[in-house]
PDB file of all heavy atoms in Angstrom:
ATOM      1  N   ILE A 334      12.480  -2.629  12.967  1.00 97.00           N
ATOM      2  CA  ILE A 334      12.205  -1.976  14.257  1.00 97.00           C
ATOM      3  C   ILE A 334      10.887  -2.488  14.831  1.00 97.00           C
ATOM      4  O   ILE A 334       9.856  -2.476  14.145  1.00 97.00           O
ATOM      5  CB  ILE A 334      12.158  -0.440  14.086  1.00 97.00           C
ATOM      6  CG1 ILE A 334      13.579   0.098  13.957  1.00 97.00           C
ATOM      7  CG2 ILE A 334      11.462   0.224  15.277  1.00 97.00           C
ATOM      8  CD1 ILE A 334      13.697   1.603  13.930  1.00 97.00           C
ATOM      9  N   ALA A 335      10.920  -2.940  16.082  1.00 98.00           N
ATOM     10  CA  ALA A 335       9.709  -3.390  16.766  1.00 98.00           C
ATOM     11  C   ALA A 335       9.144  -2.194  17.535  1.00 98.00           C
ATOM     12  O   ALA A 335       9.823  -1.626  18.395  1.00 98.00           O
ATOM     13  CB  ALA A 335      10.048  -4.530  17.722  1.00 98.00           C
ATOM     14  N   VAL A 336       7.903  -1.811  17.207  1.00 97.00           N
ATOM     15  CA  VAL A 336       7.313  -0.610  17.806  1.00 97.00           C
ATOM     16  C   VAL A 336       6.526  -1.011  19.061  1.00 97.00           C
ATOM     17  O   VAL A 336       5.349  -1.377  18.985  1.00 97.00           O
ATOM     18  CB  VAL A 336       6.416   0.127  16.799  1.00 97.00           C
ATOM     19  CG1 VAL A 336       5.935   1.457  17.390  1.00 97.00           C
ATOM     20  CG2 VAL A 336       7.153   0.372  15.488  1.00 97.00           C
ATOM     21  N   VAL A 337       7.194  -0.926  20.222  1.00 98.00           N
ATOM     22  CA  VAL A 337       6.536  -1.374  21.458  1.00 98.00           C
ATOM     23  C   VAL A 337       5.349  -0.464  21.816  1.00 98.00           C
ATOM     24  O   VAL A 337       4.350  -0.933  22.350  1.00 98.00           O
ATOM     25  CB  VAL A 337       7.532  -1.486  22.642  1.00 98.00           C
ATOM     26  CG1 VAL A 337       8.522  -2.595  22.420  1.00 98.00           C
ATOM     27  CG2 VAL A 337       8.242  -0.186  22.912  1.00 98.00           C
ATOM     28  N   GLY A 338       5.467   0.822  21.485  1.00 97.00           N
ATOM     29  CA  GLY A 338       4.375   1.762  21.788  1.00 97.00           C
ATOM     30  C   GLY A 338       3.107   1.389  21.030  1.00 97.00           C
ATOM     31  O   GLY A 338       1.995   1.586  21.532  1.00 97.00           O
ATOM     32  N   SER A 339       3.241   0.836  19.841  1.00 97.00           N
ATOM     33  CA  SER A 339       2.081   0.386  19.075  1.00 97.00           C
ATOM     34  C   SER A 339       1.563  -0.933  19.649  1.00 97.00           C
ATOM     35  O   SER A 339       0.353  -1.110  19.814  1.00 97.00           O
ATOM     36  CB  SER A 339       2.473   0.217  17.601  1.00 97.00           C
ATOM     37  OG  SER A 339       1.443  -0.405  16.890  1.00 97.00           O
ATOM     38  N   ALA A 340       2.471  -1.846  19.966  1.00 98.00           N
ATOM     39  CA  ALA A 340       2.066  -3.144  20.544  1.00 98.00           C
ATOM     40  C   ALA A 340       1.220  -2.921  21.797  1.00 98.00           C
ATOM     41  O   ALA A 340       0.229  -3.614  22.025  1.00 98.00           O
ATOM     42  CB  ALA A 340       3.303  -3.971  20.884  1.00 98.00           C
ATOM     43  N   ASN A 341       1.583  -1.920  22.589  1.00 98.00           N
ATOM     44  CA  ASN A 341       0.867  -1.627  23.840  1.00 98.00           C
ATOM     45  C   ASN A 341      -0.568  -1.159  23.604  1.00 98.00           C
ATOM     46  O   ASN A 341      -1.375  -1.167  24.526  1.00 98.00           O
ATOM     47  CB  ASN A 341       1.589  -0.521  24.618  1.00 98.00           C
ATOM     48  CG  ASN A 341       2.842  -1.023  25.284  1.00 98.00           C
ATOM     49  OD1 ASN A 341       3.042  -2.223  25.416  1.00 98.00           O
ATOM     50  ND2 ASN A 341       3.694  -0.096  25.724  1.00 98.00           N
ATOM     51  N   ARG A 342      -0.855  -0.707  22.389  1.00 98.00           N
ATOM     52  CA  ARG A 342      -2.217  -0.227  22.079  1.00 98.00           C
ATOM     53  C   ARG A 342      -2.966  -1.250  21.206  1.00 98.00           C
ATOM     54  O   ARG A 342      -3.969  -0.911  20.576  1.00 98.00           O
ATOM     55  CB  ARG A 342      -2.144   1.110  21.337  1.00 98.00           C
ATOM     56  CG  ARG A 342      -1.560   2.250  22.131  1.00 98.00           C
ATOM     57  CD  ARG A 342      -2.530   2.774  23.186  1.00 98.00           C
ATOM     58  NE  ARG A 342      -2.067   4.033  23.725  1.00 98.00           N
ATOM     59  CZ  ARG A 342      -2.608   5.222  23.428  1.00 98.00           C
ATOM     60  NH1 ARG A 342      -3.617   5.312  22.610  1.00 98.00           N
ATOM     61  NH2 ARG A 342      -2.124   6.325  23.989  1.00 98.00           N
TER      62      ARG A 342
END
Side-chain angles (χ1 to χ4, degrees):
I334 284 186
V336 186
V337 293
S339 171
N341 285 345
R342 296 286 192 106

